[in-house]
Amino acid sequence: MSLWSSAAIAEATGGAASAAFDVSGVTFDSREVGPGDLFIALTGESTDGHRFLDQAFERGAAGALVSQPSGHPNVRVADTFAGLEALARASRARTDARIIGVTGSAGKTGTKEALFAALDRSPSKSAHRSVKSYNNHTGVPLSLSRMPAEADYGVFEMGMNHAGELAHLTTLVRPHVAIVTAIAPAHAAFFPDESAIADAKGEIFRGLEPGGVAIIPYDSPHCDRLIGHARPYAARIVAFGVGEGADVAAIEAVRAGNGGTFVTARVGERELSYTISQPGQHWVSNSLAVLAAVDAVGGDLALAGLALAELGGLAGRGDRFTVPVGEGTALVIDEAYNANPASMRATLSVLGGEEGRKLAVLGEMRELGEKSDAYHADLAGPVRDAGVETVILVGESMKPLATALEGHVDLLHVPDAATARDRLSAVLRAGDAVLIKGSNGVGLSALVAALRGGKV
């Protein structure tokens, strides 16, 4: 099925088509090109996508968006990044889908994936969502440009690390429903305090369509601040949480036999009981945001409950697998994609609920600014509360936590992920449960890949 014709791409971008072609997908990474894709040759400070045009067409590209002469089928524009944004705006303009935007300091990718699973479950409806963590200035327009015109729902993750970024992204997405999952000191190096982070996240509401709904974390200390940001743009504000007074609230939440949580929730005047497959109190909060959004777009709450019960783990964000160790196996909890103080605490709590000896490989948390030492040292309590017996700390910024934990747990402080891999190999035993988490730049995903490949 054609996603875009060369004529439609040219009309959307103001470009000129060299030939007639149809594409079934869009990408700007030549390594991800598949048969029938449109390859967008973005230019940047360190690379130029035009250098990879031959590679893209060898992999099956049907056409390209270019700003330089090319012998391949193409639409030529003055600026390919501006062309990508124009294609995104055209995609948003041509659809009648109900659009949901998701942001937050933690939980946005999991919430986005759960929403997609809930909305796409209906046999008569189709949903589209941004893949991976395509949530920045290039990822959001790429995800929009990939949305089929006939989709019934679109779910888009939006991230930021500076003020003003979400204000622009939300004008591309133009959501009918905008969610803030949580506020925490992520990217704190770029903000004076958490209130400023809340202000930046609150920018998502500026793009709400007329009659739009703002969904806000009731239990956050910044709830009133977020309401203030939503009020000028939202026709309705819905608060989710466990506190008395939340519009979508968890009445009861108990640990389920599969390690997840059985929840009874109130959604307006209705009650719904469901099981969350993913462990951790943070997933109770995520699930309430999902229910609030599904309800806001007129989706099926019962199907949403089923989707939450069957939701699989996400690579780098809670995926679980076992690895052979000696005559048995060890459990690995993969949280290697990213980390901030709030998500570290949440996942350490999950580790604390596991059986067996508990190990943790924790990479430094980056972009925390002048309070970085304090944020790292403050993880000592959650590490001890989780019953961690051995912790491997990775990176120079972990020094304050190493100092705080000295004498309380078996401790190894190493400079990089490769050394962490060697140390984990030496201490891992059958029956262990090991959490692997750190900022993406630390590179702990390579350790996870080695574990999956049986090389640790």
Side-chain angles (χ1 to χ4, degrees):
M1 183 178 296
S2 175
L3 180 66
W4 294 99
S5 68
S6 54
I9 296 168
E11 181 180 1
T13 62
S18 69
F21 58 85
D22 293 288
V23 300
S24 54
V26 184
T27 186
F28 49 62
D29 187 336
S30 61
R31 297 165 298 182
E32 295 183 356
V33 171
D37 279 351
L38 173 71
F39 174 62
I40 299 180
L42 294 179
T43 58
E45 294 181 1
S46 60
T47 188
D48 183 346
H50 295 84
R51 293 168 45 204
F52 304 100
L53 282 166
D54 289 345
Q55 178 182 331
F57 279 89
E58 287 170 4
R59 294 180 62 90
L65 188 69
V66 300
S67 59
Q68 301 173 14
S70 171
H72 298 290
N74 70 80
V75 172
R76 188 171 174 182
V77 295
D79 182 298
T80 50
F81 176 71
L84 171 61
E85 284 204 335
L87 195 62
R89 292 186 188 279
S91 179
R92 179 65 184 87
R94 72 180 182 177
T95 185
D96 291 324
R98 300 290 289 175
I99 304 296
I100 303 172
V102 184
T103 194
S105 302
K108 54 184 176 290
T109 300
T111 299
K112 177 257 298 181
E113 290 293 327
L115 268 170
F116 169 76
L119 295 170
D120 199 53
R121 195 178 181 95
S122 171
S124 61
K125 302 286 186 179
S126 65
H128 170 79
R129 92 291 205 186
S130 47
V131 299
K132 300 182 179 178
S133 283
Y134 282 176
N135 62 19
N136 63 4
H137 67 290
T138 54
V140 170
L142 177 68
S143 298
L144 273 167
S145 69
R146 289 173 165 178
M147 182 168 60
E150 65 275 8
D152 297 291
Y153 302 107
V155 187
F156 297 94
E157 179 181 342
M158 288 178 269
M160 63 89 203
N161 54 21
H162 290 85
E165 291 176 338
L166 274 178
H168 175 65
L169 294 179
T170 193
T171 63
L172 293 175
V173 175
R174 289 168 40 214
H176 298 97
V177 177
I179 303 171
V180 176
T181 58
I183 302 296
H187 310 297
F190 308 117
F191 298 94
D193 53 33
E194 255 188 39
S195 294
I197 295 173
D199 292 340
K201 294 296 184 184
E203 293 172 11
I204 192 174
F205 303 125
R206 299 183 192 178
L208 276 170
E209 288 287 272
V213 179
I215 297 178
I216 288 171
Y218 183 79
D219 303 313
S220 170
H222 306 286
C223 179
D224 289 343
R225 197 176 193 94
L226 290 170
I227 289 173
H229 284 291
R231 190 171 285 123
Y233 308 100
R236 185 159 62 97
I237 298 173
V238 177
F240 67 92
V242 298
E244 184 68 29
D247 302 300
V248 177
I251 301 170
E252 184 179 27
V254 296
R255 186 177 172 87
N258 64 350
T261 308
F262 180 76
V263 181
T264 299
R266 185 185 69 253
V267 183
E269 300 300 320
R270 293 158 291 172
E271 285 191 10
L272 175 71
S273 294
Y274 57 97
T275 299
I276 308 169
S277 62
Q278 300 302 302
Q281 182 63 30
H282 58 296
W283 262 105
V284 175
S285 179
N286 291 349
S287 75
L288 297 172
V290 168
L291 294 182
V294 169
D295 186 53
V297 296
D300 190 318
L301 289 175
L303 291 181
L306 292 174
L308 288 164
E310 297 177 3
L311 191 67
L314 306 175
R317 296 180 174 83
D319 191 20
R320 292 166 165 245
F321 59 95
T322 58
V323 295
V325 182
E327 297 183 359
T329 61
L331 171 67
V332 179
I333 304 173
D334 172 18
E335 286 278 357
Y337 182 76
N338 221 336
N340 60 49
S343 63
M344 276 285 198
R345 290 172 180 271
T347 51
L348 282 165
S349 176
V350 169
L351 177 63
E354 300 299 330
E355 301 292 332
R357 190 174 69 126
K358 301 170 184 62
L359 287 71
V361 181
L362 304 179
E364 62 189 12
M365 302 176 291
R366 297 183 174 177
E367 298 184 352
L368 292 181
E370 62 184 17
K371 295 182 180 179
S372 176
D373 285 356
Y375 285 132
H376 282 87
D378 285 348
L379 293 178
V383 169
R384 294 196 302 269
D385 292 344
V388 175
E389 294 186 29
T390 299
V391 62
I392 301 173
L393 304 178
V394 187
E396 179 63 26
S397 296
M398 275 295 185
K399 186 175 180 180
L401 179 56
T403 300
L405 287 174
E406 191 171 357
H408 297 281
V409 300
D410 291 333
L411 171 68
L412 296 166
H413 187 196
V414 301
D416 51 46
T419 309
R421 169 182 163 178
D422 295 338
R423 298 294 185 269
L424 181 62
S425 177
V427 300
L428 193 62
R429 301 198 305 247
D432 287 349
V434 55
L435 167 68
I436 301 175
K437 186 168 182 65
S439 284
N440 194 37
V442 179
L444 292 181
S445 57
L447 170 56
V448 173
L451 284 163
R452 287 186 183 278
K455 298 177 181 178
V456 172

